[in-house]
Amino acid sequence: MTGGMKMTARVAALVLASAALAACGGSGGAKAPTSAENVLSRGTASEPPTLDPHLAAGNSSSPIIDDLFTGLMTTDAKGDEVDGIAASHTISDDGKTYTFKLRPGLTWSDGKPLTSADIVYSFQRLMSPKLGARYASNLYVLKNGRAVNTGAAPAESLGVRAPDPETVVFELERRAPYFLKILASNATAPVPQHAIEAGGRSWTKAGSLVSNGPFTLAAWTPNTSIKLRKNPKFYDAPTVKLDEVVYYPTDDSGALVKRYRAGELDMILNFPPEQTEFLKKSLGDQVHIATNYGLYYYLFNTKQAPFNDVRVRKALSIAVDKDSIVRDILRGEGHPAWSVVPGDISDYKRTPEPDSTRPLAERQAEAKALLTAAGYSAAKPATVTLRYDSKEESRQIAVAIGAMWEAIGVKTTLEVSDFRGITNDARGGKYQAIRYQWFAPYDDPSTFLSLIKGRSPTNLTGYANPRYDAMVAAADQDPNPATRMAALAEAEKLAMADYPVLPLYFTTARRLVSPRVAGWSDFPGGLVQSRYLSVKAN
């Protein structure tokens, strides 16, 4: 293996040294910050690439956008979908027409009225092919959604209209029982046309950003802090208890733990998995761990050798000991993944994955045979460049997988990159194998199944299987939730037999929440919005 790292075959030996360094920091529980009583300090992941709801990527932006913007639907303090800026909604008998009535007197944070025309503009912008929105494909259920997003139809033909200033009507191509969940995701939040036209690409900077949520952007110091201030023009402002929320972004989750334990932060949204037991013992119920509908996986560029050969993809997939990764690197905080859809999302029931129950030695023997059949040997080994981001957890996983691939005769080069580089190169197809992560913007298998669906903007592998695509489309026409889920599971089983990606584990959310914070709740798939939180007096 190349890349400046000496390898061994034993995963435990690769990770124990790193884990031993991680359980450091101050002693004792978190102390309450001495700053203003109504200011919440939140430590979060890497610097958000943008605060534009339509362009945001990764979970570093999501909680901040939740605080700044509110859509037609939103989530309550328990994570359930509820009306947001909509006062009410109705659904037609055929499930294809949704009508929303806006709350009276809505305004943007600068005082300008927010009407149904803003909603129409926002969805047309979101689906514009020039924008390149990451989650646009979620709205292919809208009438002419795909056609508009691919430039085959004008924006005006999109299935969203405003018959009057207080009413928004959506027309769908087909029944989509998860449509309200899509509208509750921050990727579909309304954006201010007047601010975007005035500010251009700079409209999301402090001093320019106009929002409609419970908070506004007060200041943004890159790689240091993002300060939000209560929005007095928010429709439910009297219930918002916090005056300010300050986010502290960093790639170094271990540093966040130290700051939390020193009393500088009220909560952090991630901590190193190897610190879990240490933190549970020292901080007790300040440690919160919950399912968060996330998939950590490697993309295979199926347009390039050696990944254009299904035998190679299968060999590299079945040679990975996912149980040891979860056990030794993640310290049990995750679930080994042999498919792309988490089993606990919605009412999805996966079909059994046969590879998951086979002994590793048996899988390794088959992997070697597959590589031989594909034309590789000790004299002519398969070579792979594996890209990963700069977080320590990702480095440990990449090192471990490199060792597992070496065990079957594959030469692996490791390359590290920052989060933005990983995202840009993955979307541009500039990789062989690359670390990626997907968090469901809504609670339905369709968002994960799109990761391997032909013509889906979230499928970054080049893989396409027309039969799989047809099975998913047929399942989504089924009005019966149970039979729809069963059909989707069969479709996933078919596609995963081609090993288009390498699922590694389904993620868990690891949080530290100070006793000073009130209103926090653990629920699958999300974070508690700051509007529902408060801080206790010192």
Side-chain angles (χ1 to χ4, degrees):
M1 178 173 178
T2 58
M5 300 181 186
K6 186 177 180 180
M7 300 299 305
T8 69
R10 298 179 61 86
V11 178
L14 293 168
V15 301
L16 287 177
S18 297
L21 296 174
C24 58
S27 59
K31 301 175 183 178
T34 57
S35 56
E37 297 298 335
N38 288 321
V39 177
L40 178 69
S41 299
R42 300 179 68 152
T44 188
S46 54
E47 178 80 3
T50 179
L51 294 179
D52 186 327
H54 297 169
L55 293 176
N59 60 348
S60 58
S61 303
S62 185
I64 305 172
I65 292 174
D66 275 336
D67 286 347
L68 292 172
F69 296 90
T70 302
L72 289 167
M73 301 292 294
T74 187
T75 54
D76 62 17
K78 300 296 183 181
D80 295 322
E81 291 82 23
V82 294
D83 288 315
I85 61 173
S88 63
H89 66 270
T90 58
I91 307 172
S92 63
D93 291 341
D94 65 0
K96 295 170 65 175
T97 302
Y98 287 69
T99 303
F100 292 84
K101 292 291 183 180
L102 299 183
R103 296 177 186 272
L106 290 174
T107 69
W108 293 101
S109 57
D110 62 359
K112 293 187 180 297
L114 193 167
T115 71
S116 57
D118 292 296
I119 308 300
V120 173
Y121 163 80
S122 297
F123 278 85
Q124 290 180 352
R125 175 182 187 261
L126 174 61
M127 301 306 288
S128 167
K130 293 182 179 179
L131 187 69
R134 187 186 192 199
Y135 295 114
S137 61
N138 292 338
L139 289 164
Y140 283 2
V141 297
L142 282 179
K143 182 179 178 180
N144 295 324
R146 179 185 290 276
V148 170
N149 189 234
T150 57
E156 295 73 22
S157 68
L158 188 67
V160 54
R161 53 188 173 87
D164 62 60
E166 290 79 37
T167 306
V168 183
V169 179
F170 292 93
E171 295 178 58
L172 276 55
E173 294 273 5
R174 54 177 171 77
R175 181 186 295 269
Y178 48 89
F179 186 62
L180 292 178
K181 295 179 180 180
I182 294 177
L183 297 184
S185 68
N186 54 40
T188 60
V191 292
Q193 181 177 4
H194 63 284
I196 293 172
E197 292 177 347
R201 293 185 178 181
S202 299
W203 83 273
T204 56
K205 292 184 177 180
S208 299
L209 189 142
V210 174
S211 60
N212 75 318
F215 297 91
T216 61
L217 180 62
W220 186 354
T221 304
N223 298 302
T224 303
S225 65
I226 300 169
K227 180 184 289 187
L228 311 184
R229 186 170 292 130
K230 181 177 177 178
N231 178 12
K233 299 187 183 302
F234 178 56
Y235 68 83
D236 204 19
T239 68
V240 179
K241 299 181 177 63
L242 296 170
D243 294 323
E244 290 184 356
V245 182
V246 184
Y247 286 85
Y248 296 92
T250 179
D251 285 328
D252 187 350
S253 55
L256 286 178
V257 172
K258 293 179 182 179
R259 294 188 66 179
Y260 176 86
R261 291 175 61 77
E264 299 175 14
L265 301 175
D266 294 307
M267 59 192 304
I268 63 175
L269 304 183
N270 192 25
F271 59 80
E274 63 268 18
Q275 293 201 35
T276 301
E277 291 307 313
F278 168 74
L279 292 172
K280 284 181 177 179
K281 289 178 182 178
S282 59
L283 298 180
D285 59 8
Q286 295 177 50
V287 178
H288 295 257
I289 297 175
T291 299
N292 67 341
Y293 298 153
L295 171 68
Y296 187 108
Y297 67 120
Y298 283 166
L299 301 173
F300 290 155
N301 191 334
T302 64
K303 297 295 186 181
Q304 288 186 13
F307 295 103
N308 56 355
D309 190 326
V310 67
R311 294 169 297 186
V312 175
R313 299 198 300 266
K314 181 175 182 179
L316 294 177
S317 296
I318 64 177
V320 173
D321 187 352
K322 301 174 185 182
D323 291 324
S324 71
I325 289 173
V326 170
R327 181 185 64 245
D328 299 329
I329 298 178
L330 304 181
R331 294 299 188 268
E333 298 305 333
H335 306 282
W338 291 90
S339 58
V340 293
V341 183
D344 53 2
I345 193 167
S346 194
D347 295 314
Y348 191 71
K349 297 292 186 294
R350 292 195 308 264
T351 56
E353 302 98 2
D355 291 333
S356 65
T357 57
R358 296 169 58 199
L360 177 61
E362 179 183 313
R363 300 202 311 265
Q364 287 176 324
E366 182 183 358
K368 291 177 182 178
L370 286 166
L371 290 172
T372 299
Y376 298 101
S377 64
K380 181 193 170 185
T383 60
V384 174
T385 298
L386 175 60
R387 300 272 307 282
Y388 64 98
D389 65 278
S390 57
K391 290 184 179 178
E392 176 61 15
E393 178 181 319
S394 294
R395 184 195 70 81
Q396 292 180 12
I397 291 172
V399 170
I401 288 180
M404 295 168 189
W405 287 351
E406 273 207 346
I408 61 170
V410 175
K411 293 184 64 175
T412 306
T413 298
L414 301 182
E415 289 186 358
V416 64
S417 179
D418 60 18
F419 174 78
R420 182 168 295 185
I422 290 288
T423 301
N424 290 341
D425 287 349
R427 298 185 75 177
K430 299 176 181 178
Y431 69 92
Q432 275 194 312
I434 196 167
R435 174 265 197 216
Y436 217 64
Q437 202 158 357
W438 185 259
F439 292 93
Y442 56 91
D443 175 17
D444 190 82
S446 58
T447 181
F448 288 100
L449 295 174
S450 291
L451 301 178
I452 52 176
K453 188 177 179 182
R455 296 200 300 160
S456 167
T458 59
N459 177 357
L460 307 180
T461 69
Y463 170 79
N465 183 328
R467 185 181 171 200
Y468 165 77
D469 297 346
M471 290 174 69
V472 171
D476 279 340
Q477 297 288 345
D478 191 339
N480 184 303
T483 55
R484 172 178 176 263
M485 291 296 179
L488 290 176
E490 286 299 318
E492 182 188 19
K493 181 180 179 181
L494 172 76
M496 290 309 297
D498 289 336
Y499 298 87
V501 295
L502 172 54
L504 291 173
Y505 66 90
F506 297 119
T507 64
T508 55
R510 301 183 296 272
R511 326 289 191 200
L512 292 179
V513 183
S514 167
R516 182 174 182 261
V517 177
W520 182 264
S521 178
D522 293 316
F523 53 83
L527 293 165
V528 180
Q529 295 180 40
S530 297
R531 64 181 282 198
Y532 302 121
L533 300 177
S534 61
V535 287
K536 301 174 184 177
N538 293 332

